[in-house]
Amino acid sequence: MTRNRFGVSTMDDSNTTLESLRRAVREFRDRREWEQFHTPKNLSMAIAIEAAELMEEFLWLESDEARRQADDDGSVARIAEELADVLIYALSFANSVELDVTTAVLDKLAKNAEKYPEEECRGISSWLDSEKGNGS
């Protein structure tokens, strides 16, 4: 693993495991002695705040405009930074509560597969109307 001038690992999706990302996030935190601030409350709030900043990139845009925004080089850089912030805090949260992210994601996908069968939900969003107010 190589590091850039900030001491951050340089990797990409094709050669990076979830554990190596978690380790990189943990090392970044530890080098700054921020573990004391990484409580579940603070991290869950940080996830929400950063998700809102990602949403802001698309605020007031129609769907086709949002797709074009996601293709614009300048916008992609901002979107990537906001998404990275969300993921960094999500991985920090998982580290903080010692949650196995892979198990959580696969378990949730299995639950969603039962809740939203392919045959009934493929290509439609009408099931969303019946789910309003039922949580996820």
Side-chain angles (χ1 to χ4, degrees):
M1 175 182 346
T2 59
R3 295 189 181 275
N4 67 15
R5 65 190 177 107
F6 302 109
V8 177
S9 303
T10 55
M11 305 178 277
D12 65 29
D13 285 349
S14 67
N15 64 5
T16 305
T17 65
L18 189 54
E19 177 53 37
S20 62
L21 271 181
R22 288 180 70 161
R23 187 178 322 110
V25 168
R26 189 180 309 113
E27 288 174 3
F28 184 89
R29 176 204 67 196
D30 290 349
R31 289 177 183 197
R32 288 151 184 82
E33 298 179 1
W34 287 348
E35 185 174 8
Q36 61 189 320
F37 309 115
H38 281 208
T39 65
K41 178 193 84 62
N42 290 346
L43 292 168
S44 64
M45 292 173 75
I47 292 167
I49 291 164
E50 294 301 340
E53 290 181 12
L54 176 60
M55 291 166 48
E56 187 178 28
E57 291 294 324
F58 300 98
L59 185 63
W60 310 119
L61 300 179
E62 297 295 329
S63 293
D64 59 331
E65 293 174 304
R67 283 190 179 87
R68 283 194 303 273
Q69 175 96 341
D71 289 336
D72 174 68
D73 288 342
S75 296
V76 168
R78 290 190 313 273
I79 292 165
E81 284 193 10
E82 297 305 341
L83 180 59
D85 285 338
V86 171
L87 293 170
I88 288 167
Y89 281 124
L91 292 173
S92 294
F93 185 92
N95 286 342
S96 173
V97 299
E98 298 181 7
L99 178 78
D100 186 299
V101 175
T102 299
T103 299
V105 169
L106 294 178
D107 286 353
K108 183 63 175 179
L109 285 173
K111 185 177 178 180
N112 286 348
E114 287 182 32
K115 190 174 182 180
Y116 310 110
E118 288 179 47
E119 303 77 30
E120 296 174 28
C121 299
R122 184 176 292 114
I124 60 170
S125 63
S126 59
W127 55 269
L128 288 171
D129 294 332
S130 64
E131 290 297 314
K132 288 181 181 172
N134 293 336
S136 58

